[in-house]
Amino acid sequence: MNRAQALAEFASFGKQKDEAISIIVASTINNQGPIYVLTLITVLDVLTRCQADEIDLDDLEMWANVIESRSDIDYSAVEGVIYALSNSEQMGNLDKSKVARLIELFKA
């Protein structure tokens, strides 16, 4: 798995997420800009899986924090939802009802 594949695996909470994290951590970030684009479809899938208890709320918040801190992930299309998930100080604690509201908001 190369770095681009690892970023895609991490961003989609794939089955090989742990291996992807190891690859991402081991690789150096260069200033070539984003090599992975996070889409609304992927975010909605992750949120839906969280709502179905496949992804823990703490893991979801950590996921959003990592995405927000990566220069090699372009999340501009979903910046609002990533901000809401990663900033519990401003947005309030993350719970299942907030995840459900985000799903409804972004499905529309």
Side-chain angles (χ1 to χ4, degrees), residues 15 37 108:
K15 292 184 192 312
V37 177

Side-chain angles (χ1 to χ4, degrees), residues 2 4 12-13 15 17 22 41 44 46 48 51 53 61 66 71 77 83 95 107:
N2 63 33
S12 65
F13 256 92
K15 292 184 192 312
K17 178 179 63 76
S22 296
I41 292 169
L44 283 172
V46 168
T48 301
Q51 190 68 17
D53 294 323
E61 186 173 356
V66 170
S71 63
Y83 181 85
D95 58 29
K107 274 187 176 179

Side-chain angles (χ1 to χ4, degrees), residues 13-87:
F13 256 92
K15 292 184 192 312
Q16 297 176 323
K17 178 179 63 76
D18 292 334
E19 180 185 345
I21 291 170
S22 296
I23 292 168
I24 293 166
V25 169
S27 65
T28 58
I29 297 177
N30 51 30
N31 292 329
Q32 293 180 351
I35 61 172
Y36 177 79
V37 177
L38 184 61
T39 65
L40 182 57
I41 292 169
T42 300
V43 171
L44 283 172
D45 177 63
V46 168
L47 292 174
T48 301
R49 290 170 48 210
C50 179
Q51 190 68 17
D53 294 323
E54 293 177 35
I55 298 171
D56 186 68
L57 286 169
D58 289 336
D59 289 340
L60 181 66
E61 186 173 356
M62 181 272 312
W63 171 82
N65 279 308
V66 170
I67 287 172
E68 196 172 45
S69 70
R70 303 288 309 183
S71 63
D72 50 2
I73 298 176
D74 176 1
Y75 65 97
S76 59
V78 291
E79 189 172 4
V81 69
I82 296 300
Y83 181 85
L85 293 171
S86 65
N87 289 285

